[in-house]
């Protein structure tokens, strides 16, 4: 069971002409079927599946030519990846994982792992019908290949509108690169050869064990190492983080995240500010078959 919750709005940061524009929730979820029933146990990540938007099969999204809308995309499924595109249209990203960006950036497609979210501005294409699609995606030698599929039909119709000027600067910059680092830690993702058991720092999840500690109101730098041949996602509860580098390549800071992919045999450096929520919380791979098979750890945040 999963859904999408919209908390507040982005109107604070949008220019006046774009406040109050039409919004669409685009909740991406898949269902594996056995006959006429949805399978609920022993799910195989690479098995044929039916992809839906807001619980519907290929729904229609309406927009006027040139109109600017705000689409809130979220992968609310358990395991599979989406590589979302609308041919001929770029996605200016205004928020990622529920956190407003400090500078709007545009992409042709977005890889959205389970649990990740993007808020984007979409400007209506010329009159006609196009398809919101997920492109083929390969998660690695030990992972799965996900085929292309149609998600929704976009119907551009009605009186054309003059395309609005899109924002560039957006929310205030929050840059953890300028913060003092109180501690550094390493998080290692591994799995057995059969791909049936998964580990963090070579241990399976135990809710009675504390794996990592942090002090409230400090910043830590974590190196996330993926010592496997498939993509794993890094997700931490209650605390967003800044991606500093991937495989040694410095990353542009557009804003904080809470769910990111770590490439096979690669590494990612992140900085986390432990601002709220003292007590126990967890971090895990957001491919839930991996989490359920051990790839989760306990973090204790002390006052």
């Amino acid at each position: 069971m999963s859904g999408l919750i919209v908390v507040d709005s982005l109107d604070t940061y949008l220019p006046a002409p774009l406040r109050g524009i039409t919004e669409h929730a685009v909740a991406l979820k898949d269902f594996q079927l056995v006959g006429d029933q949805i399978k609920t146990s022993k799910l195989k990540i690479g098995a044929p599946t039916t992809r839906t938007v807001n619980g519907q099969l290929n729904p229609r999204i309406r927009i006027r030519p040139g109109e600017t809308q705000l689409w809130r995309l979220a992968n609310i499924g358990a395991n599979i990846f989406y590589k979302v595109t609308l041919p001929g249209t770029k996605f200016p990203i205004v928020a990622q994982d529920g956190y407003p960006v400090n500078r709007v950036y545009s992409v042709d497609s977005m890889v959205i792992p389970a649990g990740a979210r993007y808020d984007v501005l979409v400007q209506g294409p010329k009159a006609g019908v196009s398809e919101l699609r997920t492109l083929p995606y390969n998660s690695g030698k030990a992972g799965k290949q996900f085929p292309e599929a149609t998600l929704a039909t976009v119907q551009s119709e009605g009186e054309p509108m003059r395309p609005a000027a899109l924002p560039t600067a957006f929310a205030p910059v929050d840059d953890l690169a300028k913060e003092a680092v109180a501690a550094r830690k390493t998080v290692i993702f591994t799995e057995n050869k059969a791909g049936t058991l998964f580990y963090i720092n070579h241990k399976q999840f135990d809710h009675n064990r504390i794996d990592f500690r942090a002090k409230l109101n400090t910043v830590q730098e974590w190196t996330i190492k993926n010592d496997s041949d498939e993509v794993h996602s890094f997700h931490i509860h209650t605390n967003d983080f800044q991606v500093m580098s991937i495989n040694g390549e410095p990353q542009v800071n557009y804003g904080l995240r809470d769910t990111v992919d770590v490439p096979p045999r690669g590494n990612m450096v992140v900085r986390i500010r432990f601002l709220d929520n003292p007590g126990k919380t967890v971090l895990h791979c957001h491919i839930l078959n991996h989490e359920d098979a051990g790839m989760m750890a306990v973090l204790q945040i002390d006052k």
Side-chain angles (χ1 to χ4, degrees):
M1 298 173 67
S2 59
L4 186 155
I5 299 174
V6 175
V7 181
D8 227 335
S9 76
L10 293 170
D11 280 358
T12 301
Y13 307 112
L14 288 169
L18 293 180
R19 292 174 190 162
I21 58 176
T22 296
E23 297 184 13
H24 289 292
V26 183
L28 306 169
K29 191 171 184 177
D30 70 296
F31 301 98
Q32 295 180 17
L33 300 175
V34 178
D36 61 354
Q37 294 186 328
I38 293 173
K39 190 175 182 180
T40 58
S41 62
K42 298 182 180 179
L43 297 174
K44 294 184 178 180
I45 297 174
T49 193
T50 300
R51 301 191 189 230
T52 65
V53 171
N54 301 338
Q56 302 171 72
L57 187 64
N58 190 15
R60 192 167 295 263
I61 301 174
R62 300 184 184 278
I63 192 170
R64 291 167 60 181
E67 178 189 4
T68 303
Q69 294 184 351
L70 175 63
W71 292 10
R72 302 180 183 272
L73 296 103
N75 182 350
I76 66 169
N79 294 300
I80 73 170
F81 295 82
Y82 289 78
K83 187 176 182 180
V84 178
T85 189
L86 181 60
T89 302
K90 286 187 175 292
F91 293 121
I93 295 173
V94 295
Q96 45 196 19
D97 294 339
Y99 199 95
V101 298
N102 55 62
R103 178 157 52 93
V104 177
Y105 66 103
S106 294
V107 296
D108 295 314
S109 64
M110 293 166 291
V111 175
I112 312 178
R117 294 90 69 205
Y118 285 96
D119 290 9
V120 302
L121 297 173
V122 177
Q123 293 193 314
K126 65 181 182 180
V129 173
S130 55
E131 290 185 339
L132 185 70
R133 302 185 66 78
T134 181
L135 298 174
Y137 181 76
N138 185 345
S139 64
K141 289 190 298 183
K144 300 293 183 290
Q145 296 189 30
F146 300 97
E148 186 169 353
T150 298
L151 301 174
T153 297
V154 178
Q155 179 76 49
S156 183
E157 61 182 2
E159 187 68 25
M161 298 178 65
R162 182 185 298 276
L166 298 177
T168 51
F170 209 63
V173 176
D174 190 0
D175 189 2
L176 300 186
K178 300 176 181 179
E179 300 286 336
V181 175
R184 288 178 167 83
K185 292 183 169 60
T186 300
V187 179
I188 304 173
F189 288 161
T190 54
E191 58 189 76
N192 66 355
K193 289 184 179 180
T196 55
L197 296 174
F198 300 85
Y199 310 89
I200 291 180
N201 287 3
H202 310 290
K203 298 176 183 178
Q204 290 219 294
F205 175 64
D206 180 348
H207 69 272
N208 291 313
R209 184 186 66 233
I210 294 174
D211 300 289
F212 301 94
R213 284 187 178 273
K215 190 169 179 58
L216 199 64
N217 296 316
T218 66
V219 172
Q220 292 192 358
E221 182 174 279
W222 290 16
T223 298
I224 320 300
K225 297 179 65 178
N226 181 358
D227 286 351
S228 79
D229 290 316
E230 66 174 311
V231 172
H232 289 293
S233 59
F234 172 70
H235 173 74
I236 186 167
H237 286 209
T238 72
N239 296 276
D240 297 318
F241 53 82
Q242 180 178 331
V243 179
M244 308 302 295
S245 68
I246 299 175
N247 290 341
E249 292 291 328
Q251 298 295 296
V252 176
N253 173 32
Y254 291 111
L256 302 185
R257 310 292 301 271
D258 70 22
T259 306
V260 293
D261 286 335
V262 186
R265 301 294 170 182
N267 67 82
M268 175 179 294
V269 176
V270 303
R271 288 191 178 183
I272 310 170
R273 179 189 288 121
F274 299 97
L275 189 61
D276 297 303
N277 305 296
K280 278 187 178 181
T281 187
V282 293
L283 54 121
H284 58 90
C285 174
H286 217 303
I287 299 172
L288 298 189
N289 272 24
H290 298 177
E291 174 211 51
D292 291 349
M295 195 172 268
M296 183 157 67
V298 175
L299 166 67
Q300 174 73 39
I301 303 173
D302 298 316
K303 290 185 178 179

